PDB file of all heavy atoms in Angstrom:
ATOM      1  N   ARG A 235     -11.220-161.183 -41.370  1.00 95.00           N
ATOM      2  CA  ARG A 235     -11.645-159.931 -41.987  1.00 95.00           C
ATOM      3  C   ARG A 235     -12.652-160.247 -43.082  1.00 95.00           C
ATOM      4  O   ARG A 235     -12.654-161.331 -43.657  1.00 95.00           O
ATOM      5  CB  ARG A 235     -10.447-159.157 -42.550  1.00 95.00           C
ATOM      6  CG  ARG A 235      -9.528-159.952 -43.447  1.00 95.00           C
ATOM      7  CD  ARG A 235      -8.412-159.130 -44.061  1.00 95.00           C
ATOM      8  NE  ARG A 235      -7.645-158.344 -43.107  1.00 95.00           N
ATOM      9  CZ  ARG A 235      -6.545-157.668 -43.417  1.00 95.00           C
ATOM     10  NH1 ARG A 235      -6.073-157.711 -44.663  1.00 95.00           N
ATOM     11  NH2 ARG A 235      -5.901-156.966 -42.519  1.00 95.00           N
ATOM     12  N   PHE A 236     -13.543-159.294 -43.317  1.00 95.00           N
ATOM     13  CA  PHE A 236     -14.528-159.464 -44.382  1.00 95.00           C
ATOM     14  C   PHE A 236     -13.840-159.442 -45.742  1.00 95.00           C
ATOM     15  O   PHE A 236     -12.875-158.701 -45.949  1.00 95.00           O
ATOM     16  CB  PHE A 236     -15.569-158.341 -44.340  1.00 95.00           C
ATOM     17  CG  PHE A 236     -16.568-158.457 -43.220  1.00 95.00           C
ATOM     18  CD1 PHE A 236     -16.613-157.505 -42.213  1.00 95.00           C
ATOM     19  CD2 PHE A 236     -17.468-159.507 -43.189  1.00 95.00           C
ATOM     20  CE1 PHE A 236     -17.530-157.596 -41.192  1.00 95.00           C
ATOM     21  CE2 PHE A 236     -18.397-159.611 -42.159  1.00 95.00           C
ATOM     22  CZ  PHE A 236     -18.429-158.655 -41.161  1.00 95.00           C
ATOM     23  N   VAL A 237     -14.348-160.230 -46.650  1.00 96.00           N
ATOM     24  CA  VAL A 237     -13.940-160.164 -48.050  1.00 96.00           C
ATOM     25  C   VAL A 237     -15.020-159.387 -48.795  1.00 96.00           C
ATOM     26  O   VAL A 237     -16.204-159.725 -48.723  1.00 96.00           O
ATOM     27  CB  VAL A 237     -13.773-161.573 -48.659  1.00 96.00           C
ATOM     28  CG1 VAL A 237     -13.428-161.478 -50.144  1.00 96.00           C
ATOM     29  CG2 VAL A 237     -12.701-162.351 -47.914  1.00 96.00           C
ATOM     30  N   ASP A 238     -14.638-158.302 -49.467  1.00 94.00           N
ATOM     31  CA  ASP A 238     -15.557-157.445 -50.221  1.00 94.00           C
ATOM     32  C   ASP A 238     -16.478-156.628 -49.319  1.00 94.00           C
ATOM     33  O   ASP A 238     -17.579-156.266 -49.727  1.00 94.00           O
ATOM     34  CB  ASP A 238     -16.384-158.263 -51.223  1.00 94.00           C
ATOM     35  CG  ASP A 238     -15.524-158.927 -52.280  1.00 94.00           C
ATOM     36  OD1 ASP A 238     -14.456-158.382 -52.604  1.00 94.00           O
ATOM     37  OD2 ASP A 238     -15.914-160.001 -52.787  1.00 94.00           O
ATOM     38  N   GLY A 239     -16.042-156.364 -48.100  1.00 93.00           N
ATOM     39  CA  GLY A 239     -16.756-155.398 -47.288  1.00 93.00           C
ATOM     40  C   GLY A 239     -17.703-155.967 -46.260  1.00 93.00           C
ATOM     41  O   GLY A 239     -18.181-157.104 -46.364  1.00 93.00           O
ATOM     42  N   SER A 240     -17.996-155.144 -45.248  1.00 94.00           N
ATOM     43  CA  SER A 240     -18.798-155.556 -44.099  1.00 94.00           C
ATOM     44  C   SER A 240     -20.296-155.415 -44.306  1.00 94.00           C
ATOM     45  O   SER A 240     -21.081-155.922 -43.502  1.00 94.00           O
ATOM     46  CB  SER A 240     -18.377-154.728 -42.876  1.00 94.00           C
ATOM     47  OG  SER A 240     -18.372-153.341 -43.188  1.00 94.00           O
ATOM     48  N   GLN A 241     -20.717-154.736 -45.385  1.00 95.00           N
ATOM     49  CA  GLN A 241     -22.140-154.555 -45.621  1.00 95.00           C
ATOM     50  C   GLN A 241     -22.857-155.891 -45.753  1.00 95.00           C
ATOM     51  O   GLN A 241     -24.056-156.009 -45.478  1.00 95.00           O
ATOM     52  CB  GLN A 241     -22.355-153.721 -46.890  1.00 95.00           C
ATOM     53  CG  GLN A 241     -23.813-153.363 -47.186  1.00 95.00           C
ATOM     54  CD  GLN A 241     -24.424-152.407 -46.174  1.00 95.00           C
ATOM     55  OE1 GLN A 241     -23.788-151.431 -45.796  1.00 95.00           O
ATOM     56  NE2 GLN A 241     -25.635-152.678 -45.725  1.00 95.00           N
ATOM     57  N   GLN A 242     -22.124-156.932 -46.151  1.00 96.00           N
ATOM     58  CA  GLN A 242     -22.717-158.254 -46.330  1.00 96.00           C
ATOM     59  C   GLN A 242     -23.396-158.753 -45.058  1.00 96.00           C
ATOM     60  O   GLN A 242     -24.450-159.391 -45.123  1.00 96.00           O
ATOM     61  CB  GLN A 242     -21.665-159.255 -46.787  1.00 96.00           C
ATOM     62  CG  GLN A 242     -20.475-159.381 -45.858  1.00 96.00           C
ATOM     63  CD  GLN A 242     -19.480-160.441 -46.268  1.00 96.00           C
ATOM     64  OE1 GLN A 242     -19.787-161.620 -46.286  1.00 96.00           O
ATOM     65  NE2 GLN A 242     -18.269-160.008 -46.614  1.00 96.00           N
ATOM     66  N   MET A 243     -22.795-158.473 -43.895  1.00 96.00           N
ATOM     67  CA  MET A 243     -23.414-158.935 -42.653  1.00 96.00           C
ATOM     68  C   MET A 243     -24.716-158.193 -42.389  1.00 96.00           C
ATOM     69  O   MET A 243     -25.716-158.806 -41.966  1.00 96.00           O
ATOM     70  CB  MET A 243     -22.463-158.772 -41.470  1.00 96.00           C
ATOM     71  CG  MET A 243     -23.108-159.131 -40.134  1.00 96.00           C
ATOM     72  SD  MET A 243     -21.946-159.346 -38.787  1.00 96.00           S
ATOM     73  CE  MET A 243     -21.493-161.078 -39.029  1.00 96.00           C
ATOM     74  N   ALA A 244     -24.737-156.893 -42.627  1.00 96.00           N
ATOM     75  CA  ALA A 244     -25.974-156.128 -42.459  1.00 96.00           C
ATOM     76  C   ALA A 244     -27.063-156.670 -43.379  1.00 96.00           C
ATOM     77  O   ALA A 244     -28.219-156.836 -42.971  1.00 96.00           O
ATOM     78  CB  ALA A 244     -25.722-154.649 -42.743  1.00 96.00           C
ATOM     79  N   ASP A 245     -26.705-156.962 -44.623  1.00 97.00           N
ATOM     80  CA  ASP A 245     -27.688-157.473 -45.583  1.00 97.00           C
ATOM     81  C   ASP A 245     -28.235-158.833 -45.150  1.00 97.00           C
ATOM     82  O   ASP A 245     -29.439-159.098 -45.277  1.00 97.00           O
ATOM     83  CB  ASP A 245     -27.057-157.584 -46.972  1.00 97.00           C
ATOM     84  CG  ASP A 245     -26.685-156.223 -47.559  1.00 97.00           C
ATOM     85  OD1 ASP A 245     -27.232-155.213 -47.089  1.00 97.00           O
ATOM     86  OD2 ASP A 245     -25.848-156.183 -48.484  1.00 97.00           O
ATOM     87  N   LEU A 246     -27.370-159.697 -44.619  1.00 98.00           N
ATOM     88  CA  LEU A 246     -27.821-161.019 -44.181  1.00 98.00           C
ATOM     89  C   LEU A 246     -28.738-160.914 -42.965  1.00 98.00           C
ATOM     90  O   LEU A 246     -29.739-161.644 -42.863  1.00 98.00           O
ATOM     91  CB  LEU A 246     -26.615-161.906 -43.863  1.00 98.00           C
ATOM     92  CG  LEU A 246     -25.796-162.379 -45.068  1.00 98.00           C
ATOM     93  CD1 LEU A 246     -24.503-163.029 -44.606  1.00 98.00           C
ATOM     94  CD2 LEU A 246     -26.616-163.354 -45.918  1.00 98.00           C
ATOM     95  N   LEU A 247     -28.432-160.013 -42.039  1.00 98.00           N
ATOM     96  CA  LEU A 247     -29.303-159.818 -40.877  1.00 98.00           C
ATOM     97  C   LEU A 247     -30.655-159.250 -41.298  1.00 98.00           C
ATOM     98  O   LEU A 247     -31.703-159.626 -40.745  1.00 98.00           O
ATOM     99  CB  LEU A 247     -28.620-158.900 -39.866  1.00 98.00           C
ATOM    100  CG  LEU A 247     -27.386-159.480 -39.171  1.00 98.00           C
ATOM    101  CD1 LEU A 247     -26.656-158.392 -38.385  1.00 98.00           C
ATOM    102  CD2 LEU A 247     -27.765-160.632 -38.247  1.00 98.00           C
ATOM    103  N   CYS A 248     -30.644-158.362 -42.281  1.00 98.00           N
ATOM    104  CA  CYS A 248     -31.908-157.831 -42.810  1.00 98.00           C
ATOM    105  C   CYS A 248     -32.757-158.951 -43.406  1.00 98.00           C
ATOM    106  O   CYS A 248     -33.985-158.979 -43.245  1.00 98.00           O
ATOM    107  CB  CYS A 248     -31.639-156.763 -43.859  1.00 98.00           C
ATOM    108  SG  CYS A 248     -31.017-155.197 -43.190  1.00 98.00           S
TER     109      CYS A 248
END
Side-chain angles (χ1 to χ4, degrees):
R235 51 176 51 173
F236 286 115
V237 177
D238 297 331
S240 50
Q241 185 67 44
Q242 57 176 296
M243 175 166 275
D245 294 340
L246 289 170
L247 292 170
C248 288

